[in-house]
Coordinates of all heavy atoms in Angstrom, one line a residue:
M1 N 0.3 -33.6 10.4 CA 0.6 -33.7 11.8 C -0.6 -34.4 12.6 O -1.7 -34.1 12.4 CB 0.8 -32.3 12.4 CG 1.4 -32.3 13.8 SD 1.5 -30.6 14.4 CE 2.6 -29.9 13.1
I2 N -0.2 -35.4 13.3 CA -1.2 -36.1 14.1 C -1.2 -35.6 15.5 O -0.2 -35.5 16.2 CB -0.9 -37.6 14.1 CG1 -1.0 -38.2 12.6 CG2 -1.9 -38.4 15.0 CD1 -0.2 -39.5 12.4
K3 N -2.4 -35.3 16.0 CA -2.5 -34.8 17.4 C -3.5 -35.6 18.2 O -4.5 -36.0 17.7 CB -2.9 -33.3 17.3 CG -1.8 -32.4 16.9 CD -2.3 -31.0 17.0 CE -1.2 -30.0 16.6 NZ -1.7 -28.6 16.8
T4 N -3.2 -35.7 19.5 CA -4.2 -36.2 20.4 C -4.5 -35.0 21.3 O -3.6 -34.4 21.9 CB -3.7 -37.3 21.3 OG1 -2.4 -36.9 21.8 CG2 -3.6 -38.6 20.6
E5 N -5.7 -34.5 21.3 CA -6.1 -33.3 22.0 C -5.2 -32.2 21.5 O -5.1 -32.0 20.4 CB -6.0 -33.5 23.5 CG -6.7 -34.8 24.0 CD -8.1 -34.6 24.4 OE1 -8.5 -33.7 25.1 OE2 -8.9 -35.5 24.0
S6 N -4.4 -31.6 22.4 CA -3.6 -30.5 22.0 C -2.1 -30.9 22.0 O -1.2 -30.1 21.8 CB -3.8 -29.3 22.8 OG -3.5 -29.5 24.1
I7 N -1.8 -32.2 22.3 CA -0.4 -32.6 22.5 C 0.0 -33.3 21.2 O -0.7 -34.1 20.6 CB -0.3 -33.7 23.6 CG1 -0.9 -33.1 24.9 CG2 1.1 -34.1 23.8 CD1 -0.1 -32.1 25.7
Q8 N 1.2 -32.9 20.8 CA 1.8 -33.5 19.6 C 2.4 -34.9 19.9 O 3.1 -35.0 20.9 CB 2.9 -32.6 19.0 CG 2.4 -31.5 18.2 CD 3.5 -30.6 17.7 OE1 4.7 -31.0 17.7 NE2 3.2 -29.4 17.2
I9 N 2.2 -35.8 19.0 CA 2.8 -37.2 19.3 C 4.2 -37.1 18.7 O 4.4 -36.7 17.6 CB 2.0 -38.3 18.6 CG1 0.5 -38.3 19.1 CG2 2.6 -39.6 18.8 CD1 -0.4 -39.2 18.3
Q10 N 5.1 -37.6 19.5 CA 6.5 -37.7 19.0 C 6.8 -39.1 18.6 O 6.4 -40.1 19.1 CB 7.4 -37.3 20.2 CG 7.3 -35.9 20.6 CD 8.3 -35.6 21.7 OE1 8.6 -36.4 22.5 NE2 8.9 -34.3 21.6
C11 N 7.7 -39.2 17.5 CA 8.1 -40.5 17.1 C 8.9 -41.2 18.2 O 9.7 -40.6 18.8 CB 9.1 -40.3 15.9 SG 10.0 -41.7 15.4
P12 N 8.5 -42.4 18.5 CA 9.2 -43.1 19.6 C 10.7 -43.4 19.3 O 11.4 -43.6 20.3 CB 8.4 -44.5 19.7 CG 7.6 -44.6 18.5 CD 7.5 -43.3 17.9
Q13 N 11.1 -43.3 18.1 CA 12.5 -43.6 17.7 C 13.3 -42.3 17.8 O 14.5 -42.3 18.3 CB 12.6 -44.1 16.3 CG 11.9 -45.5 16.1 CD 12.6 -46.6 16.9 OE1 13.8 -46.8 16.7 NE2 11.9 -47.3 17.8
C14 N 12.8 -41.2 17.3 CA 13.7 -40.0 17.2 C 13.1 -38.7 17.8 O 13.7 -37.7 17.8 CB 14.1 -39.8 15.7 SG 12.7 -39.2 14.7
G15 N 11.8 -38.7 18.1 CA 11.2 -37.5 18.7 C 10.6 -36.6 17.7 O 10.0 -35.5 18.1
E16 N 10.6 -36.9 16.4 CA 10.0 -36.1 15.4 C 8.5 -36.0 15.6 O 7.9 -37.0 16.0 CB 10.4 -36.7 14.0 CG 9.7 -36.1 12.8 CD 10.2 -34.7 12.5 OE1 11.4 -34.4 12.5 OE2 9.3 -33.8 12.4
T17 N 7.9 -34.9 15.2 CA 6.4 -34.8 15.4 C 5.7 -34.8 14.1 O 4.5 -34.7 14.0 CB 6.1 -33.6 16.2 OG1 6.6 -32.4 15.6 CG2 6.6 -33.7 17.6
E18 N 6.4 -34.8 13.0 CA 5.8 -34.9 11.6 C 5.8 -36.3 11.1 O 6.8 -36.9 11.1 CB 6.5 -33.9 10.7 CG 6.6 -32.5 11.1 CD 5.3 -31.8 10.9 OE1 4.5 -32.2 10.0 OE2 5.0 -30.8 11.6
F19 N 4.6 -36.7 10.6 CA 4.5 -38.1 10.1 C 3.9 -38.0 8.7 O 3.0 -37.2 8.5 CB 3.6 -38.9 11.0 CG 4.3 -39.2 12.3 CD1 4.1 -38.3 13.4 CD2 5.0 -40.3 12.6 CE1 4.6 -38.5 14.6 CE2 5.6 -40.6 13.8 CZ 5.4 -39.7 14.8
E20 N 4.4 -38.9 7.8 CA 3.7 -39.1 6.5 C 2.5 -40.0 6.8 O 2.6 -41.0 7.5 CB 4.6 -39.8 5.6 CG 5.6 -38.9 4.9 CD 6.5 -39.8 4.0 OE1 6.1 -40.8 3.4 OE2 7.7 -39.4 4.0
Q21 N 1.3 -39.5 6.3 CA 0.1 -40.3 6.5 C -0.8 -40.2 5.3 O -0.8 -39.2 4.6 CB -0.6 -39.8 7.7 CG -0.9 -38.3 7.6 CD -1.7 -37.7 8.8 OE1 -2.7 -38.2 9.1 NE2 -1.1 -36.8 9.5
P22 N -1.6 -41.3 5.0 CA -2.5 -41.2 3.9 C -3.7 -40.3 4.3 O -3.9 -39.9 5.4 CB -3.0 -42.6 3.8 CG -2.6 -43.4 5.0 CD -1.6 -42.6 5.7
D23 N -4.4 -39.8 3.2 CA -5.6 -39.0 3.5 C -6.6 -39.8 4.2 O -6.7 -41.0 4.0 CB -6.2 -38.5 2.2 CG -5.3 -37.4 1.5 OD1 -4.5 -36.8 2.2 OD2 -5.4 -37.3 0.3
N24 N -7.3 -39.2 5.1 CA -8.3 -39.9 5.9 C -7.7 -41.1 6.6 O -8.2 -42.3 6.5 CB -9.5 -40.4 5.0 CG -10.3 -39.2 4.5 OD1 -10.5 -38.2 5.3 ND2 -10.7 -39.2 3.3
V25 N -6.6 -40.9 7.2 CA -5.9 -42.0 7.9 C -6.8 -42.7 8.9 O -7.5 -42.1 9.7 CB -4.6 -41.5 8.5 CG1 -4.8 -40.5 9.6 CG2 -3.7 -42.6 9.0
Q26 N -6.7 -44.1 8.8 CA -7.5 -44.9 9.8 C -6.6 -45.5 10.8 O -5.3 -45.6 10.6 CB -8.3 -46.0 9.0 CG -9.2 -45.4 8.0 CD -10.3 -44.6 8.5 OE1 -11.0 -45.0 9.5 NE2 -10.6 -43.5 8.0
D27 N -7.2 -46.1 11.9 CA -6.3 -46.7 12.9 C -5.4 -47.8 12.4 O -4.4 -48.0 13.0 CB -7.2 -47.2 14.0 CG -7.6 -46.1 15.0 OD1 -7.1 -45.0 14.9 OD2 -8.4 -46.3 15.9
D28 N -5.9 -48.5 11.4 CA -5.0 -49.7 10.9 C -4.2 -49.3 9.7 O -3.6 -50.1 9.1 CB -5.9 -50.9 10.6 CG -7.0 -50.6 9.6 OD1 -7.1 -49.5 9.2 OD2 -7.6 -51.6 9.2
D29 N -4.1 -48.0 9.4 CA -3.1 -47.5 8.4 C -1.8 -47.3 9.0 O -1.7 -46.9 10.2 CB -3.6 -46.2 7.8 CG -4.8 -46.4 6.8 OD1 -4.8 -47.5 6.2 OD2 -5.6 -45.5 6.7
F30 N -0.7 -47.4 8.2 CA 0.6 -47.1 8.7 C 1.0 -45.7 8.4 O 0.7 -45.1 7.4 CB 1.6 -48.1 8.0 CG 1.7 -49.4 8.7 CD1 0.8 -50.4 8.3 CD2 2.6 -49.7 9.7 CE1 0.8 -51.7 8.9 CE2 2.7 -50.9 10.3 CZ 1.8 -51.9 9.9
V31 N 1.6 -45.1 9.4 CA 2.1 -43.7 9.2 C 3.6 -43.8 9.4 O 4.1 -44.7 10.0 CB 1.5 -42.7 10.3 CG1 0.1 -42.5 10.0 CG2 1.8 -43.2 11.7
K32 N 4.3 -43.0 8.7 CA 5.8 -43.0 8.7 C 6.4 -41.7 9.2 O 6.0 -40.6 8.8 CB 6.2 -43.3 7.2 CG 7.7 -43.8 7.1 CD 8.3 -43.5 5.7 CE 7.8 -44.5 4.6 NZ 8.4 -44.2 3.3
C33 N 7.4 -41.9 10.1 CA 8.1 -40.7 10.6 C 8.8 -40.0 9.5 O 9.5 -40.6 8.7 CB 9.1 -41.2 11.6 SG 10.2 -39.9 12.2
N34 N 8.6 -38.7 9.4 CA 9.3 -37.9 8.4 C 10.8 -37.9 8.5 O 11.5 -37.7 7.6 CB 8.8 -36.4 8.4 CG 7.7 -36.2 7.5 OD1 7.3 -37.1 6.7 ND2 7.1 -35.0 7.5
H35 N 11.3 -38.1 9.7 CA 12.7 -38.0 10.0 C 13.5 -39.3 9.9 O 14.4 -39.4 9.1 CB 12.9 -37.4 11.4 CG 14.4 -37.2 11.7 ND1 15.1 -36.2 11.1 CD2 15.2 -37.8 12.6 CE1 16.3 -36.2 11.6 NE2 16.4 -37.2 12.5
C36 N 13.1 -40.3 10.6 CA 13.8 -41.6 10.6 C 13.1 -42.7 9.8 O 13.7 -43.8 9.8 CB 14.1 -42.0 12.1 SG 12.7 -42.6 13.0
K37 N 12.0 -42.4 9.2 CA 11.2 -43.3 8.4 C 10.7 -44.5 9.2 O 10.4 -45.6 8.6 CB 12.1 -43.8 7.2 CG 12.7 -42.7 6.4 CD 11.6 -41.8 5.8 CE 12.3 -40.6 5.1 NZ 11.4 -39.5 4.9
F38 N 10.6 -44.4 10.5 CA 10.1 -45.5 11.3 C 8.6 -45.5 11.0 O 7.9 -44.5 11.0 CB 10.3 -45.1 12.8 CG 9.8 -46.1 13.8 CD1 10.4 -47.3 13.9 CD2 8.6 -45.8 14.5 CE1 9.9 -48.3 14.8 CE2 8.1 -46.7 15.4 CZ 8.7 -48.0 15.6
E39 N 8.1 -46.8 10.8 CA 6.7 -46.9 10.4 C 5.9 -47.6 11.6 O 6.4 -48.6 12.2 CB 6.5 -47.8 9.2 CG 6.7 -47.0 7.9 CD 6.4 -47.9 6.7 OE1 5.2 -48.0 6.4 OE2 7.3 -48.4 6.1
M40 N 4.7 -47.1 11.9 CA 3.9 -47.8 12.8 C 2.4 -47.5 12.5 O 2.1 -46.6 11.8 CB 4.2 -47.4 14.3 CG 4.0 -46.0 14.6 SD 4.8 -45.5 16.2 CE 4.2 -46.7 17.3
M41 N 1.5 -48.4 13.0 CA 0.1 -48.2 12.8 C -0.4 -47.0 13.6 O 0.1 -46.7 14.6 CB -0.7 -49.4 13.2 CG -0.9 -50.4 12.1 SD -2.3 -51.5 12.4 CE -1.9 -52.3 13.9
L42 N -1.3 -46.3 13.0 CA -1.9 -45.1 13.6 C -2.4 -45.5 15.0 O -2.2 -44.7 16.0 CB -3.0 -44.5 12.8 CG -3.6 -43.3 13.4 CD1 -2.6 -42.1 13.6 CD2 -4.8 -42.8 12.6
A43 N -3.0 -46.7 15.2 CA -3.5 -47.1 16.5 C -2.4 -47.1 17.5 O -2.5 -46.7 18.7 CB -4.2 -48.4 16.4
E44 N -1.2 -47.7 17.1 CA -0.1 -47.8 18.0 C 0.5 -46.4 18.3 O 0.9 -46.1 19.4 CB 1.0 -48.6 17.3 CG 0.7 -50.1 17.2 CD 1.8 -50.8 16.5 OE1 1.9 -50.7 15.3 OE2 2.6 -51.5 17.2
L45 N 0.5 -45.6 17.3 CA 1.0 -44.2 17.4 C 0.2 -43.5 18.4 O 0.7 -42.7 19.3 CB 1.1 -43.5 16.1 CG 1.8 -42.1 16.1 CD1 3.2 -42.3 16.4 CD2 1.6 -41.5 14.8
K46 N -1.1 -43.7 18.4 CA -2.0 -43.0 19.3 C -1.7 -43.5 20.7 O -1.8 -42.6 21.7 CB -3.5 -43.3 18.9 CG -4.0 -42.5 17.8 CD -5.5 -42.8 17.5 CE -6.1 -42.0 16.4 NZ -7.4 -42.5 16.1
E47 N -1.5 -44.8 20.9 CA -1.2 -45.3 22.2 C 0.1 -44.6 22.8 O 0.1 -44.2 23.9 CB -0.8 -46.8 22.1 CG -2.0 -47.7 21.7 CD -2.9 -48.1 22.9 OE1 -2.3 -48.6 23.9 OE2 -4.1 -47.8 22.9
V48 N 1.1 -44.5 21.9 CA 2.3 -43.8 22.3 C 2.0 -42.3 22.7 O 2.5 -41.8 23.7 CB 3.3 -43.8 21.1 CG1 4.5 -42.9 21.4 CG2 3.8 -45.2 20.9
G49 N 1.1 -41.7 21.9 CA 0.8 -40.3 22.1 C 0.1 -40.2 23.5 O 0.3 -39.2 24.2
I50 N -0.8 -41.1 23.8 CA -1.5 -41.1 25.1 C -0.5 -41.1 26.2 O -0.6 -40.4 27.2 CB -2.6 -42.2 25.2 CG1 -3.7 -41.9 24.2 CG2 -3.1 -42.3 26.6 CD1 -4.6 -43.0 23.9
E51 N 0.5 -42.0 26.1 CA 1.5 -42.2 27.1 C 2.3 -40.9 27.3 O 2.6 -40.4 28.4 CB 2.4 -43.3 26.8 CG 1.8 -44.7 27.0 CD 1.2 -44.9 28.4 OE1 1.9 -44.6 29.4 OE2 0.0 -45.3 28.5
Q52 N 2.7 -40.3 26.1 CA 3.4 -39.1 26.1 C 2.6 -37.9 26.7 O 3.1 -37.1 27.5 CB 3.9 -38.7 24.7 CG 5.0 -39.6 24.2 CD 5.3 -39.4 22.7 OE1 4.6 -38.7 22.0 NE2 6.2 -40.2 22.2
A53 N 1.3 -37.9 26.4 CA 0.4 -36.9 26.9 C 0.3 -36.9 28.4 O 0.3 -35.9 29.1 CB -0.9 -37.0 26.3
K54 N 0.2 -38.2 28.9 CA 0.2 -38.3 30.4 C 1.4 -37.7 31.1 O 1.3 -37.1 32.1 CB 0.1 -39.8 30.7 CG -1.3 -40.4 30.6 CD -1.2 -41.9 31.1 CE -2.4 -42.7 30.7 NZ -2.2 -44.1 30.7
E55 N 2.6 -38.0 30.5 CA 3.8 -37.5 31.1 C 3.8 -35.9 31.1 O 4.4 -35.3 32.0 CB 5.0 -38.0 30.3 CG 5.3 -39.4 30.7 CD 6.4 -40.0 29.8 OE1 7.3 -39.2 29.3 OE2 6.4 -41.2 29.6
V56 N 3.2 -35.3 30.1 CA 3.2 -33.9 30.0 C 2.1 -33.3 30.9 O 2.3 -32.3 31.6 CB 3.0 -33.4 28.6 CG1 2.8 -31.9 28.5 CG2 4.1 -33.8 27.7
I57 N 0.9 -34.0 30.8 CA -0.3 -33.4 31.5 C -0.2 -33.5 33.0 O -0.5 -32.6 33.8 CB -1.6 -34.1 31.0 CG1 -1.8 -33.6 29.6 CG2 -2.7 -33.8 31.9 CD1 -2.8 -34.4 28.8
I58 N 0.4 -34.6 33.5 CA 0.4 -34.9 35.0 C 1.2 -33.8 35.7 O 0.6 -33.2 36.6 CB 0.8 -36.3 35.3 CG1 -0.4 -37.3 34.9 CG2 1.1 -36.5 36.8 CD1 0.0 -38.7 34.9
P59 N 2.4 -33.5 35.3 CA 3.1 -32.4 36.0 C 2.4 -31.1 35.9 O 2.4 -30.3 36.9 CB 4.5 -32.4 35.3 CG 4.6 -33.6 34.6 CD 3.2 -34.1 34.3
E60 N 1.8 -30.8 34.8 CA 1.1 -29.5 34.6 C -0.2 -29.5 35.5 O -0.5 -28.5 36.1 CB 0.7 -29.3 33.2 CG 1.8 -28.8 32.4 CD 1.4 -28.5 30.9 OE1 0.3 -28.6 30.6 OE2 2.4 -28.2 30.1
A61 N -0.9 -30.6 35.6 CA -2.1 -30.7 36.4 C -1.7 -30.5 37.9 O -2.4 -29.9 38.7 CB -2.8 -32.1 36.2
K62 N -0.5 -31.1 38.3 CA -0.1 -31.0 39.7 C 0.1 -29.5 40.0 O -0.2 -29.0 41.1 CB 1.2 -31.7 39.9 CG 1.0 -33.2 40.3 CD 2.4 -33.8 40.7 CE 2.3 -35.3 40.9 NZ 3.6 -35.9 40.8
K63 N 0.8 -28.8 39.1 CA 1.1 -27.4 39.3 C -0.2 -26.6 39.5 O -0.4 -25.8 40.4 CB 1.8 -26.8 38.1 CG 3.2 -26.2 38.4 CD 3.8 -25.6 37.2 CE 4.7 -26.5 36.5 NZ 5.2 -25.9 35.2
E64 N -1.2 -26.9 38.6 CA -2.5 -26.3 38.7 C -3.2 -26.5 40.1 O -3.7 -25.6 40.7 CB -3.5 -26.8 37.6 CG -3.3 -26.2 36.3 CD -3.7 -24.7 36.3 OE1 -4.8 -24.4 36.6 OE2 -2.8 -23.9 36.1
I65 N -3.1 -27.7 40.5 CA -3.7 -28.1 41.8 C -3.0 -27.4 42.9 O -3.7 -26.8 43.8 CB -3.7 -29.6 42.0 CG1 -4.7 -30.3 41.0 CG2 -4.1 -30.0 43.4 CD1 -4.5 -31.8 40.8
E66 N -1.7 -27.3 42.9 CA -0.9 -26.6 43.9 C -1.3 -25.2 44.0 O -1.5 -24.6 45.0 CB 0.6 -26.8 43.6 CG 1.1 -28.0 44.2 CD 2.6 -28.3 43.7 OE1 3.3 -27.3 43.4 OE2 3.0 -29.5 43.7
N67 N -1.4 -24.6 42.8 CA -1.8 -23.1 42.7 C -3.2 -22.9 43.3 O -3.5 -22.0 44.1 CB -1.8 -22.6 41.3 CG -0.4 -22.4 40.8 OD1 0.5 -22.3 41.6 ND2 -0.2 -22.3 39.5
M68 N -4.1 -23.9 43.0 CA -5.5 -23.7 43.5 C -5.5 -23.9 45.0 O -6.2 -23.1 45.7 CB -6.4 -24.8 42.9 CG -6.9 -24.5 41.5 SD -7.6 -25.9 40.7 CE -8.8 -26.5 41.8
L69 N -4.7 -24.8 45.5 CA -4.6 -25.0 47.0 C -4.1 -23.8 47.7 O -4.6 -23.3 48.7 CB -3.8 -26.2 47.3 CG -4.5 -27.6 47.0 CD1 -3.5 -28.7 47.3 CD2 -5.7 -27.8 47.9
K70 N -3.0 -23.2 47.1 CA -2.4 -22.0 47.6 C -3.4 -20.9 47.8 O -3.5 -20.2 48.8 CB -1.2 -21.5 46.8 CG 0.1 -22.2 47.2 CD 1.2 -21.6 46.3 CE 2.4 -22.5 46.3 NZ 3.3 -22.3 45.2
K71 N -4.2 -20.7 46.7 CA -5.2 -19.7 46.7 C -6.3 -19.9 47.7 O -6.7 -19.1 48.4 CB -5.9 -19.5 45.3 CG -5.1 -18.7 44.3 CD -5.7 -18.6 43.0 CE -4.8 -18.1 41.9 NZ -5.2 -18.4 40.5
A72 N -6.7 -21.2 47.8 CA -7.7 -21.6 48.7 C -7.3 -21.3 50.2 O -8.1 -20.8 51.0 CB -8.1 -23.1 48.5
F73 N -6.0 -21.7 50.4 CA -5.5 -21.5 51.8 C -5.3 -20.1 52.2 O -5.4 -19.7 53.4 CB -4.3 -22.3 52.0 CG -4.6 -23.8 52.3 CD1 -4.1 -24.7 51.4 CD2 -5.3 -24.2 53.3 CE1 -4.3 -26.1 51.6 CE2 -5.6 -25.5 53.5 CZ -5.1 -26.5 52.6
K74 N -5.1 -19.2 51.2 CA -4.9 -17.8 51.5 C -6.1 -17.2 52.3 O -6.0 -16.4 53.1 CB -4.7 -17.0 50.2 CG -3.2 -16.8 49.9 CD -3.1 -15.9 48.7 CE -1.6 -15.9 48.2 NZ -1.5 -15.4 46.9
G75 N -7.3 -17.7 51.9 CA -8.5 -17.2 52.5 C -8.7 -17.5 54.0 O -9.4 -16.9 54.7
F76 N -7.9 -18.5 54.4 CA -8.0 -18.9 55.8 C -7.1 -18.2 56.8 O -7.2 -18.4 58.0 CB -7.7 -20.4 56.0 CG -8.8 -21.3 55.4 CD1 -8.6 -22.0 54.2 CD2 -10.1 -21.4 56.0 CE1 -9.6 -22.7 53.6 CE2 -11.1 -22.1 55.4 CZ -10.8 -22.8 54.2
K77 N -6.3 -17.3 56.3 CA -5.3 -16.6 57.2 C -6.1 -15.6 58.1 O -7.0 -15.0 57.7 CB -4.4 -15.7 56.3 CG -3.1 -16.5 56.0 CD -2.1 -15.7 55.3 CE -0.9 -16.5 55.0 NZ 0.1 -15.7 54.2
Ligands
LIG1 ZN1 11.4 -40.9 13.8

């Protein structure tokens, strides 16, 4: 399983998160989706993962900030 930080990378074709990969996989090695057999370079897969992570992290970060603001404003009542 390839991970960026704590977010799983999904196959851009089918959404699978398990990939076949060589031992000590490098950025210019190809990894293959376990489900649809889509192949891409690890470097490309990482790019995809970063984009996917942004989509997940941004809404979560917004929620955190909203909660912090709510707490901060409570003190002003
Ligand atoms: Zn796939």
Side-chain angles (χ1 to χ4, degrees):
M1 192 185 299
I2 297 161
K3 285 184 176 184
T4 48
E5 313 270 315
S6 62
I7 306 284
Q8 281 181 14
I9 303 174
Q10 292 183 325
C11 169
Q13 297 291 304
C14 72
E16 174 66 52
T17 55
E18 300 286 333
F19 294 87
E20 280 176 35
Q21 56 178 302
D23 290 336
N24 293 319
V25 64
Q26 302 295 314
D27 275 354
D28 58 352
D29 283 331
F30 278 86
V31 292
K32 197 201 281 181
C33 171
N34 266 355
H35 182 72
C36 70
K37 308 300 175 199
F38 180 73
E39 278 186 81
M40 65 195 304
M41 267 202 300
L42 180 62
E44 289 178 286
L45 187 65
K46 280 181 178 171
E47 295 274 308
V48 171
I50 289 164
E51 288 306 310
Q52 288 170 357
K54 277 186 197 160
E55 283 172 28
V56 175
I57 287 165
I58 290 167
E60 279 181 10
K62 269 189 191 160
K63 240 186 268 172
E64 277 296 299
I65 291 163
E66 276 170 23
N67 284 341
M68 276 166 57
L69 286 175
K70 271 183 201 161
K71 276 179 198 163
F73 280 118
K74 265 182 192 167
F76 290 108
K77 267 186 182 175

